Each structure stands twice: as structure tokens, then as C-alpha cells.
Amino acid sequence: MRYFYYIFLFFFLSASAQTERFKIVLDAGHGGKDPGKVHRKIYEKDIVLKIVLLVGKELEKNPLYKVTYTRKDDRFIELYERGAIANKAKADLFISVHCNSSPNKEAHGSESYVLGLHANDLNFEVAKEENQVIYLEKDYKEKYAGYDINSPESFIGLSIMQEEFLEQSIQMGKRIQNALAENPLSRDRGVKQAGFIVLHQTYMPSVLIETGFLSNQAERDFLNSSEGQQQVAQGIVKAINNYYHWLKNNSLLTKDSSSTDKGDTFYRVQIATSNKNLDAIPANFKGLSPIFKEKIGTSFRYYYGREIDKRKIENLLQIAKKKGFTDAFIVPFVGGKRSL
Ligand SMILES: [Zn+2]
């Protein structure tokens, strides 16, 4: 009897360990027909892929993590698709890896970007260069309607999604910067905010790393060496481990979505986040009803509907989108608490 009990316990524990894994999506920038930055025949797409594969290999050794890649070889992936891969994986963290470039050959060091409005002209130029790739994509006008990559203002109002994750994204970015600063050549250029399209598409804390400048000879040689790639990868892994423990210590780890079909579970459609304290009445939300308000720090989340049935909440999501809340999304609640 006891024997069966242990077998049961083993399966129970391994099943629960499986479902609670922290999901990380690793995104090697560029690929295929898009080389990214090119200096002296050194391609950004090749360097970032090598770094990402090293990061993934290391993370996969840890049973706490589940790793998904946007690409594992030299292929072209649209920016939109990268976000879709992360959203589909229900990732807890999205890390996009890139290399920088500057007309100033002296410029060097690493910087981490989160999506935010505290951007300046310099940050805008970095984002603009990384965003150019949409011109290589089919139907980019339809897919990225609303984005004008030449205008920083076009990103304002589009960032409701990432605003929610801003604090966690910054915490991740800081850890990356600290870890990369340990490399012999690195200079910490800080965590910055700008309008990267790839970060706009994801529904989770997201950071884009500019690991170093290919326009700087010493840094290019470092990033192009297997030792340099190994060091950068180790820094990123260290930062992810550190971030994971920070989430855990602050009870910020998201609960597993597969557990949401039992117990006191329901769904709502989140339609907005705002610093304004609005009355939760239909008149303030294009006639949608019922509306629920939740206070988070100094800001407010606004939800539409409450359903136990996933299909019913999906209908409400469509209604909200048709009313113009195009960034609306479904949030599961478990035991009365948001679990996403
Ligand atoms: Zn890039």
C-alpha cells in the first residue's frame, strides 16, 4: 500500500512540477534575409542566434524553466510572429537579443530596453533601426497599422499592454545590465525605454538587450568570439535566475493556467489600465457592462464581464475589441485572485 502511495506521490509531484514551470521565450533578433547590423562581414543575426542558443541550453538544465525559441536557425521571422509565439506559449518572460551600432566608432557597452514612453531621441533612433525590418515583411501596412516607425508619438496610447509589465520588465533589465557589466569589456549603458515594435506585441514582462556595438572593433571581436558569446550568455542566464528568485521572494510568480479549470475560477476581459480613477460605469467604457475596477499601486485596471465559461469570455473579448478596445485580453482569476 505504501508502495502505491509513493508512486502516486511521485507522479503527483512530477506533474505539478511540470505545470508550474516558469516559461521563458528567447528571441534571437533578425535572421534569414534580415541580417541586422553588419560590420566587416560580421552579421548581427549570427551572433545573437549563438548567444540565444547558449542561453537556452543553460536554462534548459533547470527543471524550473520551460524555454521556447522564436528561431533556432537562420530564418526570417516577422516581428509580429515573435510576439505571437511568446503569447501562445503563455510566457512569463520575453527576452530579445540584439547587437547595437553607431556612427561613433568609440560607442560601446550594453543596454537593455523596455517598452515605455520615457524615451529620448537617442533611444528612438535605436528602436527605429530595429523596427525597420517590418519593411521586409509582407502586408506590413495592414499588420502594423497604427505604428509609424518615424514618429515616437505613434507609440503613445499603444502601450497599455506593456505598461502593466513595466516594473517587472525594468527589474529584469537591471539584472541583465548588472550581470553584463561583469564582462571585461562591457560598459553599463543602463535600462532605457523606447518603442520597439517587437516588445509591443507581447503580453508579459519583456526586455530587448543590445548586447554591444558591432561598430566598435573591440566589442565586435568580443561578441564574435565564442568566449565573448559564452560570457554574454552566462550574464543573461544569471540575470534570469536572479529575476526568477526576485519574483518568487515577492510572491509575483504567476500561477499555472492549467489549474484554472478547477476551484473558484472565472475570467474577465481587461480593457484598459490607467492612472485615472474612473467610475466603473458603462458610460465611461463605450457602453460595455458590467465593468470592474481594480486598484494596482497608483493606477487602475478596468475589466469587462465575469464568466466561468472560456467560450463566453471569448465572445465578450470580441465585443470589447469591436467597441475599440483593440488591446483587450482575457485574464483568468483563481480563488478571486488574478492569475496572469
Ligand atoms: Zn537588432
Side-chain angles (χ1 to χ4, degrees), residues 17-159:
Q18 195 100 43
T19 53
E20 281 166 19
R21 286 200 288 173
F22 185 72
K23 301 178 210 72
I24 301 155
V25 169
L26 299 175
D27 176 46
H30 313 277
K33 64 183 173 185
D34 168 26
K37 279 121 195 169
V38 182
H39 287 271
R40 306 271 168 124
K41 295 182 184 162
I42 306 297
Y43 290 5
E44 178 184 357
K45 66 171 184 176
D46 297 333
I47 291 179
V48 297
L49 179 61
K50 285 178 184 159
I51 292 172
V52 155
L53 292 177
L54 289 168
V55 172
K57 200 172 146 193
E58 199 56 38
L59 292 177
E60 280 165 1
K61 291 180 191 163
N62 189 332
L64 291 170
Y65 301 143
K66 172 156 177 37
V67 183
T68 303
Y69 304 82
T70 55
R71 69 179 179 100
K72 287 185 94 170
D73 51 25
D74 183 19
R75 68 176 73 192
F76 183 72
I77 312 266
E78 303 189 342
L79 287 186
Y80 196 87
E81 179 63 21
R82 294 169 193 261
I85 290 168
N87 295 337
K88 197 175 158 218
K90 293 196 168 69
D92 298 295
L93 180 64
F94 178 81
I95 300 284
S96 187
V97 181
H98 290 256
C99 299
N100 219 334
S101 175
S102 168
N104 171 12
K105 301 253 181 294
E106 300 298 309
H108 68 285
S110 63
E111 44 198 32
S112 290
Y113 281 92
V114 300
L115 188 74
L117 302 177
H118 293 282
N120 61 33
D121 289 352
L122 220 62
N123 301 357
F124 176 66
E125 286 306 316
V126 177
K128 191 175 155 186
E129 268 200 55
E130 300 290 8
N131 289 340
Q132 297 283 0
V133 62
I134 65 167
Y135 296 130
L136 296 176
E137 300 182 17
K138 270 190 244 157
D139 307 324
Y140 74 87
K141 277 188 184 143
E142 288 78 44
K143 256 182 276 164
Y144 303 101
Y147 297 96
D148 173 2
I149 73 165
N150 295 309
S151 150
E153 289 79 26
S154 87
F155 289 89
I156 294 173
L158 288 172
S159 65

Side-chain angles (χ1 to χ4, degrees), residues 199-244:
L199 301 183
H200 256 292
Q201 309 289 339
T202 61
Y203 298 170
M204 74 267 334
S206 300
V207 178
L208 183 145
I209 313 168
E210 295 284 0
T211 49
F213 285 77
L214 294 186
S215 45
N216 177 287
Q217 195 196 327
E219 216 158 63
R220 180 173 63 241
D221 291 345
F222 175 73
L223 289 169
N224 194 39
S225 70
S226 55
E227 196 189 332
Q229 288 155 8
Q230 192 67 250
Q231 284 190 33
V232 171
Q234 276 166 8
I236 296 172
V237 170
K238 185 177 173 185
I240 291 173
N241 288 334
N242 196 309
Y243 173 75
Y244 176 85

Side-chain angles (χ1 to χ4, degrees), residues 278-293 302:
L278 301 169
D279 287 331
I281 53 171
N284 283 335
F285 297 90
K286 302 184 185 179
L288 293 179
S289 175
I291 297 291
F292 302 89
K293 179 165 62 178
Y302 297 94

Side-chain angles (χ1 to χ4, degrees), residues 231-274:
Q231 284 190 33
V232 171
Q234 276 166 8
I236 296 172
V237 170
K238 185 177 173 185
I240 291 173
N241 288 334
N242 196 309
Y243 173 75
Y244 176 85
H245 287 109
W246 174 76
L247 287 177
K248 203 172 173 189
N249 292 339
N250 289 281
S251 309
L252 291 167
L253 280 179
T254 54
K255 299 216 174 59
D256 167 47
S257 53
S258 68
S259 68
T260 56
D261 47 12
K262 35 185 180 330
D264 181 17
T265 296
F266 59 87
Y267 302 92
R268 293 192 198 282
V269 175
Q270 181 168 331
I271 51 174
T273 305
S274 172

